[in-house]
Amino acid sequence: LQRGKKSNTLNKKIKIGFLGRISEEKGLEDLIKASFIMINKNINHSIKIAGDLKDPRFKKYTNDLLKLKDDNKFINFIGRLEEYEKKDFFDSIDLLVLPSTNSFEAFGLVQLEAMSFGIPVIASDLHGVRIPILYTGNGLLYKKGNVGDLVKCIISFKKWLKNNSKSNIINSYQKHF
């Protein structure tokens, strides 16, 4: 190895995305906390959070998230996406994370959208939320609210991806949904 070159496979940037409502049941504080843990572990990553930052119903929560993010340069809130912008969003990420915390959270259609573009998903292991991953095998599940477990899934994602191509993800998605 050349001096200054790192052999650690974690140095290739993991591009993580979230797309959805910016509300408490989505568990975004766990994703932000996971980013700080990854920074401390020298895991190169970026996180794009897409969702309406101006929704008055969730203004306090949004402000709390922005404070929690503080000056974390690895996290970018990109705002609400129009339907035609979703392809570019999915093309720009390696992985979708759905860190839902509400056990009444439903199915999570955004997972199917991601899989239709060949993007795998890490989601909390909640009854409705886990269904797309269980049926397709297109991702990993972690224990709801367990930020350390979320980080382990993100780290193991690189190994998972070696065995799963975009076309395999799309084929499995189409077979089941």
Side-chain angles (χ1 to χ4, degrees):
L1 285 176
Q2 293 177 322
R3 189 172 196 90
K5 295 266 183 173
K6 296 184 179 181
S7 63
N8 189 340
T9 59
L10 296 178
N11 290 324
K12 183 182 178 292
K13 183 182 280 189
I14 303 170
K15 296 174 281 182
I16 302 163
F18 169 87
L19 173 60
R21 192 172 57 254
I22 310 291
S23 62
E24 287 185 50
E25 68 267 9
K26 298 302 182 181
L28 288 169
E29 61 277 359
D30 290 347
L31 186 55
I32 292 170
K33 290 174 186 175
S35 176
F36 284 107
I37 291 170
M38 290 187 290
I39 290 168
N40 289 334
K41 291 179 178 272
N42 292 318
I43 297 168
N44 194 4
H45 69 284
S46 64
I47 300 174
K48 285 185 179 180
I49 298 176
D52 187 354
L53 297 168
K54 298 180 190 313
D55 189 326
R57 298 172 297 169
F58 310 115
K59 184 177 174 102
K60 182 186 179 326
Y61 181 71
T62 301
N63 289 337
D64 290 346
L65 287 178
L66 292 171
K67 285 178 192 166
L68 180 61
K69 172 204 176 284
D70 195 27
D71 62 352
N72 184 330
K73 65 181 180 172
F74 295 87
I75 300 172
N76 185 17
F77 283 85
I78 62 174
R80 184 177 184 276
L81 295 181
E82 297 299 330
E83 198 63 37
Y84 70 90
E85 295 174 299
K86 286 182 180 180
K87 181 186 181 320
D88 288 341
F89 173 78
F90 288 120
D91 285 347
S92 73
I93 64 173
D94 300 315
L95 170 68
L96 182 81
V97 174
L98 191 59
S100 299
T101 58
N102 184 336
S103 57
F104 294 112
E105 186 80 33
F107 188 76
L109 286 175
V110 70
Q111 294 178 77
L112 297 183
E113 288 180 297
M115 291 176 193
S116 75
F117 287 97
I119 302 299
V121 179
I122 292 176
S124 49
D125 191 9
L126 295 172
H127 290 289
V129 174
R130 66 182 171 209
I131 296 299
I133 292 172
L134 290 178
Y135 278 37
T136 64
N138 287 339
L140 301 169
L141 297 170
Y142 77 98
K143 186 176 180 190
K144 170 190 88 161
N146 186 328
V147 177
D149 198 27
L150 173 57
V151 171
K152 284 179 189 173
C153 282
I154 292 169
I155 291 170
S156 66
F157 161 75
K158 286 185 180 267
K159 183 178 179 184
W160 183 93
L161 195 57
K162 286 181 182 179
N163 300 316
N164 297 277
S165 68
K166 281 188 181 267
S167 61
N168 288 347
I169 293 168
I170 293 168
N171 289 338
S172 180
Y173 153 76
Q174 290 174 338
K175 178 181 174 187
H176 295 283
F177 295 100

